[in-house]
Amino acid sequence: MDLPPALYLPQEDGFEATALTIGPWDPGLQHAGPPAALLAREAERGGGIAGGQTVRLTYDIFGPVPVGPVRVRASVVRPGRRIELVEAVLTGPDDRPLMRLSAWRMRVREDGAFPADGHAHPAPAGPDESRPQDAAFFTEEIAYHRALEWRFAAGSFNEPGPAVAWTRPRCQLVDGEPMSPLQHLLVMTDAASGISAALDWNRATFANVDLSVALTRLPRAGWLGMDAATVLGGTGAAQCFAVLFDTDGAVGRSTQSLFVEPR
């Protein structure tokens, strides 16, 4: 099938979301992964530490993001030569804030003064040994699930329970630009609660109101993965936890708070 070249097309005053951003709940609404990556791109561009490492990204999702025109803007909340806090906000056509990112960034050193802990990734199989799979619950043929190539080392898109999956991009984030490894990680990570769904997609909705990602190092280019599990609280609230990794090892963790209700 012919896929759009990117998740977003640059416009004069923002970006136009393509069909590859469509989420699973409504064909007119975006999956939160692509706008999360777009906000991270804006935060890195708006930060003042050249070559700095983004170490924590916390997203608040105020409302669903429509498939259409969006704008992003960034501001440095806490400037510094070594540590900075950057905030980025995504708005829709009416300029109402829909997602907000708070990103801590740090100056890093590459002189080997500090050893790295080499935590192995938790996937029981590498991407070459894992099985390809497409999500069966998307209503549109071209949607978010086509933006990445998915391979499962454990679990499944289409069955409840924890899962371990590898991904690599099939498109760019912004047309004309390579998708960076951090952008790829964020496009992927918001799907942690999707691959580890604890409930039947046809009987319940479980949308996340936030996403938090903590990184020990930036991911490297190539296949990225996550080991995800969703824990139900029994009251309509749930949490999803995931270990994030590349082929060299673990790079961080993510959490999502889920609002669960019957369809």
Side-chain angles (χ1 to χ4, degrees):
M1 68 187 71
D2 292 330
L3 299 178
L7 292 156
Y8 297 99
L9 306 177
Q11 303 293 314
E12 184 176 348
D13 60 346
F15 303 90
E16 181 75 21
T18 71
L20 286 173
T21 66
I22 295 173
W25 306 117
D26 186 314
L29 302 177
Q30 295 188 43
H31 190 283
L38 191 66
L39 282 166
R41 172 186 178 273
E42 189 69 13
E44 292 200 316
R45 292 162 69 94
I49 300 177
Q53 177 178 320
T54 305
V55 296
R56 193 219 65 184
L57 305 100
T58 300
Y59 296 87
D60 293 305
I61 303 172
F62 302 133
V65 180
V67 178
V70 296
R71 299 183 182 89
V72 289
R73 66 180 188 275
S75 60
V76 179
V77 178
R78 191 276 194 192
R81 294 182 295 108
R82 295 177 298 177
I83 302 170
E84 65 180 358
L85 179 64
V86 183
E87 182 178 273
V89 178
L90 180 144
T91 58
D94 60 359
D95 289 330
R96 181 169 59 94
L98 298 173
M99 286 181 65
R100 178 181 63 195
L101 163 64
S102 176
W104 280 104
R105 306 186 70 252
M106 298 181 181
R107 190 180 72 193
V108 292
R109 53 196 300 163
E110 305 283 351
D111 57 8
F114 304 110
D117 291 328
H119 295 298
H121 67 69
D128 292 339
E129 296 77 39
S130 299
R131 65 188 185 283
Q133 189 179 75
D134 290 325
F137 46 81
F138 279 79
T139 59
E140 305 301 305
E141 182 65 22
I142 297 178
Y144 165 81
H145 63 304
R146 303 293 186 194
L148 303 173
E149 179 182 353
W150 292 86
R151 295 188 183 182
F152 281 78
S156 168
F157 247 141
N158 303 316
E159 297 176 4
V164 183
W166 295 94
T167 70
R168 64 179 175 184
R170 286 174 169 157
C171 64
Q172 300 170 329
L173 176 66
V174 173
D175 191 28
E177 299 178 10
M179 186 185 294
S180 75
L182 179 60
Q183 293 167 6
H184 169 194
L185 187 80
L186 294 165
V187 171
M188 173 190 77
T189 301
D190 191 74
S193 58
I195 70 169
S196 66
L199 298 169
D200 186 336
W201 286 83
N202 296 310
R203 299 180 60 187
T205 61
F206 36 93
N208 56 305
V209 299
D210 65 5
L211 169 67
S212 186
V213 177
L215 299 173
T216 51
R217 65 170 174 85
L218 292 177
R220 300 186 173 101
W223 287 97
L224 301 182
M226 53 185 172
D227 180 352
T230 295
V231 181
L232 298 173
T235 60
Q239 292 283 334
C240 177
F241 306 98
V243 177
L244 311 175
F245 49 88
D246 57 22
T247 54
D248 291 332
V251 302
R253 294 176 181 269
S254 69
T255 64
Q256 295 167 290
S257 302
L258 308 178
F259 176 72
V260 183
E261 64 178 352
R263 276 192 178 275

